[in-house]
Amino acid sequence: MSELITFGQAYNLALAEAMENDEQVILLGEDVGDEQGGGVFKTMYGLSGRFGTDRVRSTPIAEQAILGAAVGSAIAGYRPVADIMFMNFLTVCMDQLVNHAAKLRFMSGGQTAVPLTVTTTTGTGRQFGGQHSDWLEAWLAHVPGLKVVTPSTPADAKALLLASIEDDDPTIFIQHIALMRAKGAAPAADHRVPLGKAAVVREGTDITVISYGARVRDCLQVAERLADQVSIEVVDLRTIAPFDEETVLRSVVKTQRAVVMHEAVKAFGVGAEIASRIHEELFGQLKAPVHRVGSKYSPVPFNPGLEQDWTANGGDLEVAIRKVMG
Amino acid sequence: MATDTVDSTVLLEIYRRTARIYHADCKFRQMISTGELAIVYYPVRGQEVLAAAMMTALEHDDYLVTIYRGLHDQIAKGVPLKPLWAEFAGKRTGTCCGKGGPMHITHPESGLMVTTGIVGSGIPIATGLGLASQLAGDGKVTVCSFGDGATNIGAFHEGVNLASLWNLPVIFLCQNNRYGEHTKFEFTSTTETVAERGVAYGIRSVRVDGNDAAQMYAAAREAVEHARAGHGPTLIEAMTFRFNGHVFGDPGKYIPKEELEAAMAADPVPRLREQLLALDISPSTLDDIDAQAVQEVEEAAAFALNSGQPELRENRLDVLSEEILG
Ligand SMILES: Cc1ncc(C[n+]2csc(CCOP(=O)(O)OP(=O)(O)O)c2C)c(N)n1
């Protein structure tokens, strides 16, 4: 049996490897230094000890300054990783992300690149409540110039984080809070995952289920549970933006049915974009309209029962699959 | 400070840059008035000497981050007039292929890294450029220009605090022209001066007459030496005035008549000329500098007008590192 590692360990391995490979990689964020604990989830522990506090800098609580400093050092040739502790805190530095990181390459006519990675965490399952659990990936994916990534296994987590740091564009790398201590197979030495490429993580013939991050696990469980009734193909997007239209469409051409699932609220989400693209390209070939599964349209509640009810789950997915199968 | 503390060759160099800015600003206003150019333009008339003196104290590869009202800074820093002018006009020969426009000029060859239209947002980015220089040990200094209005934005406080904390080689150059759009500085600021805010963040802070070339140059020089010696940032509050309203076409009704008259009576451009004449520089030397500037500006304006539009394909380039398909 192969070795198991947690998502948290995977992030740490990727950061260490990136810093080892390239001296231009630096890490900025609140509490990221070893003395401060290596980040709230300890994912950065050991890095300042190994690479020094010049390259691994604990910052004040100042998200605009963190992201701005990352943008500035990026256009001067560094590859900063800016850690924004929780995804909701991106709202206080959206200016740096949307108006600067995303656009400087374009507005400068290609003279300044912004090879920046923002690492951040979010998600339900650990009762962090309304201001620490939002999925804002649709906001970010809507901005031309930004890439958005989230892994569903520790092996992919390591490979995707490395790919994000090595990428020449600003990338938002989203880590799921509830998965930090979850385990999966350690990556093989040569495990690489390019940005912008989805994976068919389970083959099937009746229906395609498209998802990303923690919710891919629900998809796989439901596919297993319903295996004797329906053959479900599961596509893990891995990169949300730019989304791998080719892999998604190829799968739906085969199955002629699709459901998109995500943890963000269903309304105006990434699922709407993907469903719409499938309809535009494959309308005549579909056996049923594409359905979306997303979380409830409210802020994320604190109470564990409410939070569980809020979060899109395998049951919701099963209902959608039955509707689409007719 | 008396003019005799600054070398007359330095003052002449400041005059050369001032003349270029002065004639370029006049030409832009004229071209917009006649309809030759249809752009939103933020005039710099009245602030020329300030920028010329600051940039004369820098090396060519030092960094600059400026704002929408940035023509004076850009010319003073050495951005070549032809591509600069063409970018203001949105042409393919512009610094940014016409994709940046007047509010978003970038020209790294001249050290101009960012021009931003978001008030205050350049401050954290300049801090990041300073961080890059500190890490690289390249001895570069970053100047960050902004108005008095920007000092009430969170980004100012976050950026100045971080630069101070990390002792970065950054000069925060507040060009205090006493108005933010149509609102007087006194109506928006809880402190009488901007300089005292720098003191609160523990950095060297000075308030100078930015319209006096010798005083401005001396302050700039000291700040540059301070930064290069590794002693960290300086906040320079340089007092100045804008003669043409916020945006060209704004008659500036909110400015009391006496205030405008007094400012125009102290016009920094003839004042610098007088100072040079008093130092026995001949009128013809200064006239030649003006004539040369007029010619350069005319050539740049003609170059911009005669340049072609960007290819439409440009919209697919520089969004991400790869060309966007479709
Ligand atoms: C974040 C933000 N808020 C508001 C504006 C609109 N705006 C453009 S210029 C300006 C005034 C800024 O004044 P100041 O910083 O003093 O600079 P000045 O124009 O006087 O050089 C405002 C409010 C903006 N561009 N960005």
Side-chain angles (χ1 to χ4, degrees):
Chain A
M1 204 187 112
S2 73
E3 196 199 334
L4 297 179
I5 63 167
T6 66
F7 278 80
Q9 287 169 322
Y11 300 136
N12 190 281
L13 285 173
L15 290 168
E17 195 169 319
M19 297 195 79
E20 184 74 50
N21 291 345
D22 185 351
E23 287 216 334
Q24 305 301 104
V25 176
I26 56 173
L27 174 54
L28 314 172
E30 292 154 22
D31 290 347
V32 299
D34 292 353
E35 230 180 278
Q36 294 77 31
V40 267
F41 297 102
K42 302 214 167 298
T43 48
M44 292 157 275
Y45 193 77
L47 297 175
S48 77
R50 186 159 160 207
F51 299 102
T53 49
D54 253 4
R55 287 179 70 196
V56 180
R57 294 198 181 209
S58 278
T59 64
I61 303 159
E63 282 74 12
Q64 288 196 68
I66 296 167
L67 257 180
V71 169
S73 55
I75 61 179
Y78 282 84
R79 285 191 180 273
V81 178
D83 189 60
I84 299 297
M85 202 179 271
F86 286 89
M87 194 172 205
N88 285 76
F89 310 164
L90 281 177
T91 59
V92 301
C93 54
M94 272 315 235
D95 168 46
Q96 289 299 335
L97 209 51
V98 172
N99 291 317
H100 298 90
K103 293 181 187 148
L104 286 180
R105 176 193 283 276
F106 185 83
M107 295 195 311
S108 70
Q111 294 177 96
T112 47
V114 189
L116 151 70
T117 302
V118 178
T119 51
T120 193
T121 60
T122 193
T124 59
R126 286 185 61 189
Q127 291 82 53
F128 275 76
Q131 293 177 347
H132 290 65
S133 313
D134 274 341
W135 283 83
L136 304 177
E137 73 275 26
W139 292 22
L140 303 167
H142 196 63
V143 178
L146 295 181
K147 292 180 177 174
V148 186
V149 174
T150 193
S152 71
T153 67
D156 273 9
K158 182 185 170 223
L160 282 167
L161 183 48
L162 265 174
S164 300
I165 297 170
E166 286 164 5
D167 195 76
D168 287 336
D169 296 310
T171 302
I172 325 302
F173 188 90
I174 312 166
Q175 307 161 145
H176 199 298
I177 289 168
L179 290 187
M180 283 298 177
R181 280 174 284 186
K183 287 189 174 172
D190 60 350
H191 185 60
R192 293 280 176 278
V193 180
L195 298 190
K197 284 271 169 276
V200 176
V201 289
R202 181 190 168 103
E203 305 251 0
T205 52
D206 296 333
I207 184 167
T208 301
V209 175
I210 302 137
S211 191
Y212 48 89
R215 302 280 68 89
V216 171
R217 302 180 151 213
D218 296 300
C219 300
L220 290 170
Q221 279 164 10
V222 169
E224 193 60 36
R225 192 158 71 230
L226 303 184
D228 54 351
Q229 302 161 47
V230 49
S231 167
I232 299 175
E233 177 143 311
V234 179
V235 175
D236 176 0
L237 282 187
R238 305 201 282 200
T239 302
I240 299 164
F243 119 77
D244 183 357
E245 193 164 3
E246 198 187 317
T247 300
V248 168
L249 293 181
R250 198 183 322 117
S251 173
V252 182
V253 163
K254 178 172 79 175
T255 60
Q256 298 173 294
R257 294 182 177 92
V259 172
V260 193
M261 179 183 197
H262 51 59
E263 187 169 315
V265 296
K266 178 170 150 184
F268 300 95
V270 168
E273 169 67 18
I274 295 174
S276 181
R277 293 240 216 150
I278 295 171
H279 286 135
E280 281 168 4
E281 295 299 321
L282 303 177
F283 185 68
Q285 302 172 55
L286 292 175
K287 287 192 175 144
V290 180
H291 275 241
R292 290 172 292 151
V293 177
S295 295
K296 302 226 163 28
Y297 191 67
S298 76
V300 182
F302 164 72
N303 170 280
L306 289 178
E307 189 197 50
Q308 207 180 0
D309 178 66
W310 179 89
T311 311
N313 61 28
D316 302 324
L317 177 60
E318 206 175 314
V319 170
I321 289 171
R322 290 195 194 286
K323 272 195 190 143
V324 173
M325 293 308 299
Chain B
M1 194 167 304
T3 38
D4 55 21
T5 57
V6 174
D7 206 72
S8 65
T9 54
V10 169
L11 280 187
L12 257 186
E13 177 56 29
I14 296 173
Y15 188 79
R16 212 166 276 123
R17 297 185 198 207
T18 295
R20 234 178 257 140
I21 299 164
Y22 173 89
H23 293 293
D25 177 82
C26 291
K27 182 75 182 172
F28 268 116
R29 286 184 284 118
Q30 179 219 320
M31 286 173 82
I32 297 166
S33 301
T34 59
E36 276 174 290
L37 204 56
I39 58 167
V40 175
Y41 176 62
Y42 298 88
V44 298
R45 189 66 263 282
Q47 301 184 205
E48 302 91 335
V49 167
L50 193 171
M54 177 73 238
M55 307 311 161
T56 300
L58 296 178
E59 297 298 327
H60 188 72
D61 63 354
D62 284 328
Y63 291 134
L64 170 66
V65 174
T66 187
I67 63 168
Y68 49 89
R69 190 185 316 287
L71 184 71
H72 55 332
D73 289 343
Q74 292 145 0
I75 293 177
K77 187 69 180 73
V79 181
L81 284 188
K82 283 181 180 170
L84 177 63
W85 209 279
E87 189 59 34
F88 268 72
K91 296 298 183 68
R92 61 147 47 105
T93 52
T95 49
C96 314
C97 315
K99 296 198 284 191
M103 277 208 258
H104 308 298
I105 307 284
T106 294
H107 195 255
E109 265 175 60
S110 313
L112 174 62
M113 301 306 283
V114 178
T115 299
T116 177
I118 310 290
V119 170
S121 63
I123 297 164
I125 297 176
T127 295
L129 286 162
L131 169 62
S133 292
Q134 187 185 66
L135 285 168
D138 61 16
K140 291 186 194 179
V141 168
T142 299
V143 169
C144 183
S145 262
F146 49 88
D148 44 290
T151 61
N152 294 312
I153 291 245
F156 167 84
H157 300 272
E158 294 195 16
V160 172
N161 182 54
L162 194 67
S164 174
L165 188 70
W166 289 350
N167 211 39
L168 300 175
V170 183
I171 297 170
F172 298 104
L173 176 65
C174 177
Q175 306 193 12
N176 187 347
N177 60 22
R178 299 185 248 162
Y179 287 84
E181 284 206 348
H182 305 179
T183 307
K184 248 184 173 353
F185 176 66
E186 290 78 6
F187 288 172
T188 56
S189 179
T190 49
T191 54
E192 228 171 90
T193 67
V194 170
E196 63 200 272
R197 294 188 170 187
V199 175
Y201 292 109
I203 64 171
R204 250 190 104 239
S205 305
V206 294
R207 190 174 208 239
V208 297
D209 177 358
N211 287 349
D212 182 86
Q215 206 183 122
M216 184 63 220
Y217 179 78
R221 197 67 252 160
E222 279 175 47
V224 169
E225 279 162 15
H226 186 77
R228 278 207 226 287
H231 300 320
T234 296
L235 171 65
I236 301 178
E237 180 183 16
M239 300 309 294
T240 187
F241 203 76
R242 56 167 160 79
F243 294 169
N244 279 99
H246 172 57
V247 61
F248 184 60
D250 162 20
K253 291 217 172 81
Y254 46 85
I255 304 174
K257 205 162 148 261
E258 316 75 65
E259 189 181 7
L260 183 63
E261 277 169 5
M264 288 176 95
D267 190 335
V269 179
R271 180 169 158 197
L272 175 55
R273 195 182 159 94
E274 292 304 321
Q275 286 167 338
L276 282 161
L277 293 173
L279 289 171
D280 283 340
I281 304 293
S282 73
S284 68
T285 304
L286 300 178
D287 291 344
D288 287 349
I289 290 175
D290 275 293
Q292 165 91 29
V294 169
Q295 192 191 332
E296 282 176 33
V297 164
E298 289 297 332
E299 282 170 10
F303 174 79
L305 287 186
N306 294 331
S307 289
Q309 304 296 338
E311 283 178 56
L312 299 182
R313 173 168 172 264
E314 282 293 342
N315 279 336
R316 304 199 306 259
L317 301 176
D318 309 319
V319 178
L320 297 171
S321 42
E322 318 84 45
E323 181 170 350
I324 301 289
L325 300 174

